[in-house]
Amino acid sequence: MAIEVRIPTILRTYTDGAKAVEGTGDTLAALLTDLETRHTGIRERIVDADNGDQLRRFVNVYLNDEDVRFLDGISTKLSDGDSVTILPAVAGGAPETPMPDMPAL
């Protein structure tokens, strides 16, 4: 069962720069374990072992463009030909210059 996994730039050091890799597994958890066998260290960047092996809070994972948090999370079932996309959450920062009614940071 081949599943394409799209890798964000920040995690490509684990995949030797590859933008996408293939893996196998009948669930997202199994897929991440499979990836770890070839791309050591990638699983711990996605899964929080201290939180019952759940996805890290600021990592979004999509199965065929659907957020797995609205499916079964790390237990989401996978099928041959699926596409999994890993995206780090992005948040804004403070403006360079304070707005008139905002105190400077």
Side-chain angles (χ1 to χ4, degrees), residues 75-86:
S75 299
T76 298
K77 300 281 186 205
L78 304 177
S79 300
D80 189 32
D82 278 343
S83 176
V84 172
T85 303
I86 302 166

Side-chain angles (χ1 to χ4, degrees), residues 18-83:
K19 295 178 182 182
V21 296
E22 283 195 359
T24 62
D26 58 349
T27 65
L28 181 57
L31 173 68
L32 295 174
T33 298
D34 177 63
L35 289 180
E36 181 69 18
T37 65
R38 289 179 307 287
H39 308 289
T40 305
I42 197 166
R43 185 178 187 279
E44 72 183 77
R45 305 303 294 164
I46 301 166
V47 175
D48 186 355
D50 294 335
N51 192 21
D53 277 350
Q54 296 301 309
L55 294 174
R56 290 193 176 275
R57 185 174 174 194
F58 297 109
V59 175
N60 299 313
V61 179
Y62 296 88
L63 170 61
N64 302 325
D65 299 325
E66 181 143 3
D67 191 333
V68 298
R69 292 184 202 279
F70 297 106
L71 299 172
D72 290 322
I74 198 155
S75 299
T76 298
K77 300 281 186 205
L78 304 177
S79 300
D80 189 32
D82 278 343
S83 176

Side-chain angles (χ1 to χ4, degrees), residues 98-104:
M99 295 177 71
D101 292 19
M102 280 183 60

